[in-house]
Amino acid sequence: MLAPVQPAAGTIVPAADSLRERVVLVTGATGGLGHASALAAAASGATVVLLGRKVRPLEALYDEIERLGGAAPAIYPMDLAGATPKDHADLAAAVERECGRLDGIVHAAAHFDSLQPFEQQAPDEWNRNLQVNVTAPFLLTRACMPLLRRAPDAALVFVFDDGARVGNAYWGGYGVSKFALQGLASIVHEETESSTVRTHALLPGPMRTTLRRAAYYGEDTMARPDPGGAAQAVAWLLGAAAIGVRGKVLDLR
């Protein structure tokens, strides 16, 4: 499994041009961490491919990146819950055709419905958790790996959750999927360790997100920090400065 590292304060801030001339794909780009990561990557010079389910929020994020002076992003609407292997292959082909390269993927998309006993979790909901949180990262990484291998330095960033938390009662398919994602990231790292493709993982602390509100409905989520700080770490991991922590989990808790 990937070993955790806890960075010192101020050491994981990306330089303004650290991702210049790089193309980065962000899944879940309209979610809390995905949205913030897309903005952070664009601010560091990347051309960002925005992947999400709904067109209008993607268009709003596109406009936001352009207003902030970032490179014109690309929009790719796709519902990961129903996406087939061919859909992922078509996405990789579109990125190659329109962007010419791919230097990083941020697996920020996540599905979580509610806390409930496993006996009450509908099979369809169980499958949706595993599809979005594990199968989609596998299919997307697999489809894009030939493009990533062509880059002189490419990075995969997987987003983990606290195993001590999601392994407890009522976390159901989401908890299982997050444990499985750790295994997937570890395997990908082991198989690409000697290549130009780096594997990283991020373990954020509690953030002000929709997922957090759904899991902790009695908590004042607004008292939690916004995902901007974690997104800065994502942008840093995408750049060459993070080569020294390939195969590690950046623990921000």
Side-chain angles (χ1 to χ4, degrees):
M1 301 300 285
L2 305 187
V5 292
Q6 292 185 313
T11 62
I12 53 172
V13 178
D17 62 348
S18 60
L19 301 179
R20 187 169 58 88
E21 298 183 357
R22 296 195 183 207
V23 176
V24 173
L25 170 62
V26 178
T27 73
T30 58
L33 181 58
H35 181 278
S37 296
L39 292 175
S44 295
T47 297
V48 186
V49 180
L50 309 171
L51 189 150
R53 291 185 299 119
K54 298 179 180 179
V55 173
R56 286 189 178 179
L58 289 173
E59 290 175 338
L61 178 54
Y62 180 105
D63 293 341
E64 188 175 0
I65 289 173
E66 285 211 317
R67 282 196 304 271
L68 294 173
I75 289 177
Y76 201 96
M78 188 164 80
D79 185 354
L80 294 176
T84 66
K86 183 181 183 303
D87 292 328
H88 288 274
D90 289 345
L91 167 59
V95 171
E96 181 176 19
R97 182 176 62 252
E98 300 298 328
C99 302
R101 61 186 294 162
L102 184 63
D103 304 274
I105 300 176
V106 181
H107 291 292
H111 175 73
F112 173 82
D113 184 42
S114 64
L115 296 172
Q116 56 186 307
F118 84 92
E119 295 168 284
Q120 297 177 15
Q121 185 161 49
D124 286 349
E125 178 61 22
W126 171 276
N127 289 336
R128 186 178 180 89
N129 275 293
L130 269 65
Q131 174 69 25
V132 174
N133 300 338
V134 184
T135 303
F138 158 69
L139 291 173
L140 182 57
T141 303
R142 178 177 176 271
C144 292
M145 189 59 76
L147 264 180
L148 293 168
R149 287 188 184 276
R150 292 181 209 163
D153 173 54
L156 294 163
V157 180
F158 295 87
V159 180
F160 289 175
D161 209 328
D162 186 348
R165 177 170 67 104
V166 301
N168 289 324
Y170 310 125
W171 284 93
Y174 175 83
V176 171
S177 71
K178 283 300 183 178
F179 278 104
L181 186 65
Q182 293 183 34
L184 173 62
S186 179
I187 289 167
V188 172
H189 165 63
E190 292 290 337
E191 294 186 12
T192 59
E193 188 174 12
S194 60
S195 76
T196 58
V197 180
R198 295 180 277 117
T199 299
H200 301 279
L202 184 76
L203 180 52
M207 299 181 293
R208 190 189 311 159
T209 63
T210 301
L211 194 155
R212 180 80 188 182
R213 284 194 297 274
Y216 294 89
Y217 46 84
E219 176 186 79
D220 179 10
T221 310
M222 296 303 294
R224 297 295 186 180
D226 68 40
Q232 291 293 304
V234 169
W236 181 80
L237 287 171
L238 290 167
I243 289 175
V245 292
R246 71 183 298 163
K248 306 292 185 182
V249 182
L250 208 60
D251 188 347
L252 304 183
R253 294 172 298 170

